[in-house]
Amino acid sequence: MIILGINDSHHHNCAASVLIDGKIVASVEQERISRIKNDSAYPHQAIAEVLALANVKATEVDYIALANLSRWQQRRYLDRFFQQVGKHAKTDPQLKQFYWKQQFSRFSRLLKSRPQPEGVLAEKPTHTVEHHLAHAASAYYASPFAKERVGVITLDGVGDFSWGSVWTGENGKLHHHEHLHYLNSIGLLYSAVTLFFGFKASRHEGKVLGLAAYGNPQPLLSRLLEHTNAQDWEHLFDATLARVSVRFAGQMGQQVIHDLCHDLSREDIAAGIQAYTEQLICAWIQQQARQLKVTKLALAGGVFANVKLNQRLLALPEIENLYIHPNMGDGGLATGAAFHLYASLNKGLQPQSSTQVYLGTDINQTTAQAALEAAGLEFTQPEQLALEVAKLLAAGKVVARAAGKMEYGPRALGNRTVMAACNDPNINQWLNAKFSRTEFMPFAPVILAEHAAAYFPDWQPEHLAARFMTLTYQASELAKKAIPAAIHVDDTARPQVLYQEDNPAYYAILQDYYTLTGVASVINTSFNMHEEPIVRTAEDAIRAFQAAQLDALILGDFLVLRSA
């Protein structure tokens, strides 16, 4: 059975995935092709790309799974939202005005049609999958928890008028417990702070997370808690914070953030919103774990891109292990929708975890050589490529690698990666300048699995999430001494724990570097210029390499050195 999953979201990260007999074989986000970050355009190009990658013709597709409900199907979630707004409107003039101004669009929006795939695909049987059900399916069916009852939780900004959901996964099936209406969205509150700093929502929340380690969470934490009913998540926000949810990017929501934060430094604001997020979500998930009687969690949704939150969740006494879907944001919805449809058509689907998240466009010897020749670049094909690259890294050079299939999700995991030694903390400023980035966290490290526990004592081999860079760990004294450039001011790092079977060619570079230096880790940051998506093709890689003026580029099996 071949299922084409599509996220044609109205918001961001449109994508397509191909599922064959319950296994994900290809997935690409539209942004990687269009080169428009978080592209919300209909993913026609991504659809064509994943079908080609999967070697599937459009005529061979059996079903299409659409993430996100149609506007007609959203009505009950929208009605619930307006019921909650109406309650606040009785005492809040701004929400009252919002409530009545939105009544026309509340119903006129139902008339807007949904885009369709092209050609024969438009005639295929199509099923829509609610936003948070798609997130939940992406987390559960790709998790390593096949033989046990698992708590499945989704949290994001908003999708289909909800900001989260609670499920249990057991015996290959998801069981629904709760949806959270988006008037109480902590995700949107975090994004509102991101915008208040002049950053971009759904893109730069990681900058806020990085800043948080430099600040004091008080008094913002207390100010936020004054407007919060932490014991009742159905009525979590009072009218003041509800204004942020309904218009987080508009004047109404931003005025609330200004009033709460105008006398505070950016660092203290970031620390306050991060502490608030961790405190509320950790306490709530702790309660959910007890009620659901689970010790394992499968998580998805943009809120779980917050790696410090994930570290706190893993440390909860009720939680033995957790899994965060590698493409936890809306880019993973196409996969989740396909998973859910397959499971519903086949009386369930046993979770099957995989460490192979290289599901995108391939850069092979043929495409790499053609691009290098077209660019007029000199290149070699060393017999011991890994050793040559390790020597460059040991000499303090910065090397980009674009080889094999592109990673699935927001993290570079070796195939669209920039590497550098971690011994000099100044490398962070150098790389930020080269890529025109503004970051407040150090770049993340990749580490050989055999040495992970020595550098990060809380890491355990069953932490599959660490193979995808989705949570932080406290650094050991060895790590602080050997890789200071990768350690944040709070003594944490977000490692990619690398096993040989995950990416043999990438592993070989790191192994040779360890042999040369005695250090089992290097910096691994995504290969892209600021505000651009991660590079996809060989041509993209060459442009980024030249623009950043890096020291060397691995393209396929070839090595390019920057001209003196």
Side-chain angles (χ1 to χ4, degrees):
M1 181 183 290
I2 299 174
I3 297 177
L4 172 64
I6 300 174
N7 173 30
D8 61 345
S9 166
H10 308 294
H11 304 296
H12 51 81
N13 295 97
C14 289
S17 299
V18 173
L19 200 75
I20 298 179
D21 295 332
K23 294 184 178 181
I24 179 74
V25 297
S27 186
V28 172
E29 293 183 40
Q30 181 67 19
E31 68 161 19
R32 303 292 175 91
I33 302 174
S34 69
R35 311 307 299 158
I36 300 171
K37 189 69 176 172
N38 290 359
D39 197 352
S40 61
Y42 193 88
H44 291 297
Q45 294 168 295
I47 291 169
E49 179 75 353
V50 293
L51 291 176
L53 288 169
N55 196 27
V56 168
K57 298 177 182 177
T59 54
E60 297 173 320
V61 172
D62 295 305
Y63 298 95
I64 292 176
L66 284 181
N68 302 296
L69 300 175
S70 70
R71 291 174 184 264
W72 278 97
Q73 292 169 321
Q74 288 176 339
R75 282 177 299 169
R76 70 185 182 97
Y77 298 96
L78 181 60
D79 289 345
R80 182 189 181 198
F81 165 73
F82 273 104
Q83 287 172 3
Q84 297 299 323
V85 174
K87 292 178 182 178
H88 285 304
K90 294 176 182 179
T91 57
D92 188 285
Q94 292 187 58
L95 288 177
K96 182 177 181 180
Q97 184 181 30
F98 169 85
Y99 179 88
W100 290 110
K101 285 183 69 173
Q102 295 301 312
Q103 291 306 307
F104 176 76
S105 62
R106 175 181 178 180
F107 297 102
S108 63
R109 67 187 301 278
L110 301 176
L111 303 176
K112 188 174 181 179
S113 62
R114 188 170 191 169
Q116 297 292 320
E118 297 174 332
V120 68
L121 292 175
E123 303 170 5
K124 296 292 182 178
T126 300
H127 300 256
T128 56
V129 181
E130 189 270 330
H131 184 96
H132 286 276
L133 174 54
H135 271 319
S138 74
Y140 176 56
Y141 294 117
S143 78
F145 309 129
K147 298 181 180 180
E148 50 207 312
R149 178 181 170 89
V150 58
V152 183
I153 294 177
T154 74
L155 293 174
D156 59 15
V158 59
D160 283 338
F161 294 95
S162 299
W163 82 280
S165 64
V166 180
W167 315 72
T168 47
E170 193 170 16
N171 297 322
K173 295 182 180 180
L174 281 167
H175 306 279
H176 179 253
H177 294 273
E178 184 180 9
H179 262 63
L180 307 174
H181 65 78
Y182 95 86
L183 201 62
N184 299 316
S185 176
I186 296 174
L188 289 180
L189 182 63
Y190 207 105
S191 290
V193 171
T194 304
L195 287 169
F196 183 72
F197 286 165
F199 302 147
K200 296 182 180 180
S202 301
R203 193 181 305 183
H204 294 156
E205 282 79 1
K207 296 180 187 292
V208 180
L209 172 61
L211 268 174
Y214 295 94
N216 184 344
Q218 295 293 1
L220 181 58
L221 174 58
S222 294
R223 293 176 185 178
L224 289 168
L225 290 173
E226 288 175 2
H227 297 283
T228 305
N229 183 4
Q231 305 307 313
D232 181 5
W233 272 47
E234 180 68 14
H235 306 94
L236 183 65
F237 286 178
D238 71 358
T240 299
L241 292 185
R243 284 187 232 138
V244 179
S245 291
V246 299
R247 283 290 183 265
F248 78 99
Q251 194 276 333
M252 181 164 62
Q254 285 297 301
Q255 185 61 51
V256 172
I257 303 301
H258 174 270
D259 292 344
L260 290 167
C261 302
H262 70 279
D263 59 339
L264 304 176
S265 69
R266 288 204 309 179
E267 291 81 3
D268 289 351
I269 296 169
I273 188 62
Q274 179 65 25
Y276 177 84
T277 299
E278 291 180 14
Q279 181 173 316
L280 264 68
I281 292 177
C282 285
W284 177 73
I285 287 184
Q286 197 169 20
Q287 179 185 30
Q288 294 298 320
R290 291 169 180 164
Q291 292 177 348
L292 299 174
K293 295 180 173 59
V294 297
T295 60
K296 310 287 177 61
L297 297 176
L299 309 172
V303 166
F304 296 115
N306 190 311
V307 290
K308 291 299 296 296
L309 169 65
N310 297 340
Q311 180 184 6
R312 287 281 309 276
L313 292 173
L314 183 58
L316 292 174
E318 292 81 3
I319 304 304
E320 294 180 12
N321 198 1
L322 56 76
Y323 168 81
I324 303 106
H325 188 67
N327 202 349
M328 70 293 288
D330 285 3
L333 289 172
T335 298
F339 272 141
H340 170 71
L341 180 56
Y342 184 89
S344 65
L345 293 173
N346 291 276
K347 298 181 180 180
L349 173 64
Q350 288 298 325
Q352 295 183 7
S353 64
S354 174
T355 61
Q356 291 303 311
V357 290
Y358 306 101
L359 301 171
T361 304
D362 191 18
I363 295 179
N364 54 36
Q365 185 170 337
T366 301
T367 57
Q369 184 170 343
L372 289 167
E373 290 174 348
L377 291 176
E378 294 184 6
F379 59 93
T380 60
Q381 191 174 12
E383 289 186 12
Q384 293 183 300
L385 177 61
L387 181 58
E388 291 298 313
V389 173
K391 289 178 179 178
L392 289 170
L393 293 169
K397 304 299 184 182
V398 177
V399 183
R401 182 173 189 265
K405 289 192 172 183
M406 181 176 63
E407 294 90 339
Y408 169 69
R411 312 290 190 220
L413 299 171
N415 284 4
R416 302 293 187 273
T417 281
V418 175
M419 297 175 285
C422 296
N423 59 308
D424 182 4
N426 292 323
I427 191 65
N428 289 292
Q429 287 73 33
W430 190 90
L431 284 171
N432 277 327
K434 286 291 184 181
F435 288 104
S436 303
R437 297 175 182 172
T438 304
E439 301 292 344
F440 304 103
M441 288 180 75
F443 292 106
V446 57
I447 186 164
L448 295 169
E450 295 85 349
H451 301 274
Y455 283 64
F456 305 104
D458 293 332
W459 173 82
Q460 297 177 21
E462 59 266 29
H463 292 173
L464 182 63
R467 293 162 91 153
F468 311 127
M469 277 183 160
T470 52
L471 71 167
T472 51
Y473 291 95
Q474 294 301 129
S476 69
E477 290 303 317
L478 171 63
K480 285 185 255 185
K481 180 179 179 181
I483 56 169
I487 309 302
H488 202 17
V489 294
D490 59 1
D491 292 335
T492 65
R494 185 194 71 198
Q496 175 195 0
V497 177
L498 182 64
Y499 288 78
Q500 186 173 22
E501 63 264 29
D502 294 348
N503 194 326
Y506 187 39
Y507 181 94
I509 295 170
L510 199 53
Q511 181 63 56
D512 283 344
Y513 178 81
Y514 173 70
T515 301
L516 291 172
T517 66
V519 178
S521 177
V522 298
I523 279 174
N524 167 17
T525 188
S526 59
F527 189 12
N528 62 284
M529 298 302 293
H530 183 55
E531 294 303 295
E532 286 190 6
I534 292 174
V535 301
R536 179 178 70 95
T537 65
E539 291 78 10
D540 294 338
I542 290 171
R543 282 193 294 270
F545 167 68
Q546 292 176 322
Q549 295 185 315
L550 302 179
D551 296 311
L553 168 66
I554 306 164
L555 197 67
D557 295 329
F558 303 109
L559 181 63
V560 181
L561 300 178
R562 180 163 63 94
S563 302

